[in-house]
Each structure stands twice: as structure tokens, then as C-alpha cells.
Amino acid sequence: MRRDGADRVTLSPLFFELGIMSQSRNTVRIIGGEYRRRLLPFPDAQGLRPTPDRVRETLFNWLGQQLYGKSCLDLFAGSGALGFEAASREARRVVMVEKSRVVAESLKANRQLLSAASIDVAQFDALAYLKGCRDRFDVVFVDPPFDTDLLTQVLPLLAQVMSEDGLAYIESRRWPEELPGWEVLKRAKAGQVHYGLLRRAAEPA
């Protein structure tokens, strides 16, 4: 993909091979950091729903804007909106986990487009990835497809992949009724999107 001016984008043949639609319909804009204002295309896929600009702006205000030196995990990466935003804000490492082959290939193409060496793309089921992961992350983004129970399934597995002071961002159509083992640091709603920032609750003395 080539940029022709501030906001015009020309798609390379690779994106059409991946089934990516027109940039006016299927693009996500990075809102801050090194790659600010870059437009990234993504393919049509069931349940793929980029985190809105307004929500991302609030999230990265909560996180302090810059993620210098942080290691981040973007589960259910989809368009990559959260992972690319983290990389743009100087995260040391960003792992994007995406089950769909077509979507994972588009993430790899966008990584190449940005020359973003800090990003790794893992074509993997998110639950299987968590169960086998031995790494630790400072920030974990959890934005599963709406109207599934994936968030409920993922939450009990997160602690084992998080650093001692790690934070988890969750996004859902409905806020969970219970969050055992988690402390809610921030919470907000934008349209139909409920989202919040969590950390592991302190164990009873």
C-alpha cells in the first residue's frame, strides 16, 4: 500500500488477493504515536469489528499514551487496531493473535507496510494460545467477537500470561456481571461498546 498525500491511500495487489475491500469501507486509522494518521486496510470477516477511535483514545489516555518498553498481547487481533496502536506508541513487543488465516495474513501485510519490527503475528486460536503461552505481558487487549462467551472463557486464563503489574483491557457488548479475581480500574461506555481496564485483585492477607 502506498500513501499519496495526507489521507489518500493506494492499495497494493496483495491486499486485493487477501479479499480486502475498498479503503473507504475497511480501513482503520492509527490515532497516535509514530504511525499516527496511517490508514490500514483489513478484510471482511465475521465478527471483525475495529475498536472505535473514541474508545481507543480513551484507552490510551488511561494507559498514559506511551507504552515504551512494554510487552503487549492483542488477543482476537482482527483489524489490529489495538496492537498497531500499541506498537505506534513504542511498545517493545506486540503479539497479535488471530485465528483466521486471511485476517492474519492481512495483519502481516500491514506489519510489513509499517516496517513494524516490534510486532509478531500468531495465527492461532486465542484460548489455545493462552493455554500454551510461557511469555509474560504488561498489557493484554481482549476484544473478542460480540455475542460470544469468549470473554468469559479467556478471563480465567489471563493471569498466567501477565506480568506482576500487568493490565488487561476488555471490550464487550455487555459488561460482565462478575469479574472474580479482578479489580476494575477504569470503565466506560461508548454506544454499544462497554470497555474497561483491569488488574489482578490483591490476594486476601
Side-chain angles (χ1 to χ4, degrees):
M1 188 174 76
R2 183 177 76 252
R3 287 178 57 81
D4 298 330
D7 293 309
R8 293 176 57 204
V9 175
T10 301
L11 295 175
S12 72
L14 173 60
F15 291 106
F16 291 107
E17 292 174 11
L18 293 173
I20 296 176
M21 308 298 287
S22 70
Q23 68 266 30
S24 61
R25 176 180 174 185
N26 279 27
T27 59
V28 63
R29 182 191 300 270
I30 298 176
I31 61 174
E34 179 182 357
Y35 310 129
R36 185 169 179 255
R37 296 182 181 174
R38 297 294 295 270
L39 292 172
L40 302 177
F42 60 87
D44 280 332
Q46 184 176 2
L48 198 158
R49 171 193 41 77
T51 298
D53 288 8
R54 174 184 169 189
V55 174
R56 276 184 286 141
E57 183 175 4
T58 300
L59 166 60
F60 285 94
N61 282 337
W62 290 346
L63 293 174
Q65 293 297 332
Q66 297 301 312
L67 297 179
Y68 181 77
K70 300 289 187 182
S71 181
C72 303
L73 175 62
D74 186 4
L75 290 169
F76 311 101
S79 69
L82 295 173
F84 285 120
E85 199 75 57
S88 183
R89 296 164 188 265
E90 302 187 88
R92 174 179 60 83
R93 184 187 183 208
V94 178
V95 177
M96 295 182 175
V97 178
E98 173 53 51
K99 184 176 181 179
S100 164
R101 181 192 65 81
V102 170
V103 177
E105 288 301 319
S106 76
L107 292 171
K108 292 176 183 178
N110 283 327
R111 175 187 62 187
Q112 181 178 353
L113 169 71
L114 296 174
S115 300
S118 62
I119 293 175
D120 294 323
V121 178
Q123 186 191 334
F124 231 92
D125 174 82
L127 292 170
Y129 179 87
L130 289 175
K131 291 174 182 177
C133 182
R134 297 295 177 265
D135 293 334
R136 294 293 180 270
F137 298 92
D138 302 303
V139 182
V140 181
F141 303 109
V142 185
D143 178 17
F146 281 177
D147 302 319
T148 70
D149 65 350
L150 287 169
L151 179 59
T152 302
Q153 294 184 61
V154 162
L155 284 173
L157 302 175
L158 285 187
Q160 67 191 34
V161 302
M162 293 174 63
S163 62
E164 184 176 351
D165 298 320
L167 299 174
Y169 167 79
I170 65 171
E171 187 174 321
S172 180
R173 189 190 300 277
R174 290 175 292 276
W175 188 257
E177 293 183 5
E178 296 183 352
L179 288 166
W182 296 96
E183 177 185 355
V184 180
L185 300 177
K186 301 283 187 178
R187 179 181 169 186
K189 182 176 183 290
Q192 293 187 334
V193 178
H194 291 262
Y195 59 104
L197 198 62
L198 315 178
R199 70 179 173 195
R200 286 177 292 180
E203 295 183 1

